[in-house]
Amino acid sequence: SDSQLFNARVRWVSLALMLAIGALVGLSVWQYCCAEVTPPTALERRVTHMVTTLMEKQHLSRQVLNDEISQRGFKLFLEGLDPLKTYFYQSDIDEFKPFEKQLDDMLQQNNTSFANLVFQRFLQRANERVALVDELLTQNFDFTKDEDMVTEPDLLQYPRDAAEARERWRQRIEYDLLVLKADKSDKDKEGQPPKDPAEEDKEAREKLAKRYHNFARRMKQFDNNELLEMYLSSITSGYDPHTSYMSPNTLDNFR
């Protein structure tokens, strides 16, 4: 059927893209042994050129890399880094906004510097949020208070300032603690002896702090391969959600 043919073509283009770029990058993967994001390299420019060329010439849609793809990729990249809109400020997004329709032009020049700009800002915000989490976890919470927390990303706006970000994280941490306490309560019902409430609360806070510290640490370990994979996949997903670019490590796992 037409739909089966379409899906087969999409899968073929995706696989061809992954294999071709993976083979090229694999030749120089030794350059990225250190987990650190650096300015775009000559290798990344070659990879970017191959990706954009393959997408325009081999993808079933035959759509050129234009402002429409740029806008989609812009949105997908930001959503991939900060899906719940808790890290970036609205001022950050306003700063990035002029690039929304320029990514296609930049990519046609093999320029991926936008990804580095956004990611470095994200690392800065991640450090700030971890410090805020540590501070919030030293405070007492009123779990009897009746309040609402919006969790649907499409209904959320980025926080406008530090006070708004703090309140959103206060709600998030309070919710996370409640989830951990509820999980512990379920285990108690399974026959495990109950712990002292104070000790239980301390363990929940320590577990939560570790969770966010580990996330920030993992993001700091991003290297050029991983960032390029996230960025170019945002662009290719702008053509259709089944087409992505795989870094050498991801390609090895796929194989």
Side-chain angles (χ1 to χ4, degrees), residues 70-78 96-97 100 103 114:
S70 178
Q71 288 178 293
R72 294 177 189 172
F74 178 88
K75 182 174 183 290
L76 290 170
F77 185 58
L78 293 178
F96 303 148
K97 193 72 172 175
E100 186 176 19
L103 300 186
F114 176 74

Side-chain angles (χ1 to χ4, degrees), residues 35-137:
E36 179 184 1
V37 171
T38 61
T41 64
L43 173 62
E44 290 175 63
R45 290 192 288 273
R46 292 198 298 272
V47 170
T48 301
H49 175 71
M50 287 190 68
V51 170
T52 54
T53 301
L54 279 171
M55 291 305 298
E56 290 191 336
K57 294 184 177 181
Q58 298 296 331
H59 194 270
L60 185 63
S61 67
R62 291 295 191 272
Q63 182 170 353
V64 297
L65 181 59
N66 55 19
D67 288 352
E68 181 182 0
I69 298 298
S70 178
Q71 288 178 293
R72 294 177 189 172
F74 178 88
K75 182 174 183 290
L76 290 170
F77 185 58
L78 293 178
E79 288 177 348
L81 283 172
D82 189 10
L84 296 178
K85 300 177 180 176
T86 52
Y87 285 89
F88 289 124
Y89 288 119
Q90 183 60 51
S91 58
D92 295 324
I93 305 303
D94 293 341
E95 182 180 337
F96 303 148
K97 193 72 172 175
F99 291 94
E100 186 176 19
K101 293 184 179 181
Q102 295 181 15
L103 300 186
D104 55 323
D105 301 317
M106 295 173 67
L107 287 168
Q108 286 168 351
Q109 297 174 8
N110 308 324
N111 183 349
T112 60
S113 59
F114 176 74
N116 294 65
L117 169 68
V118 174
F119 189 70
Q120 293 301 331
R121 183 65 53 81
F122 180 78
L123 290 181
Q124 176 186 342
R125 299 302 179 219
N127 287 335
E128 295 170 358
R129 301 303 179 250
V130 167
L132 177 59
V133 168
D134 288 341
E135 179 187 343
L136 289 171
L137 286 174

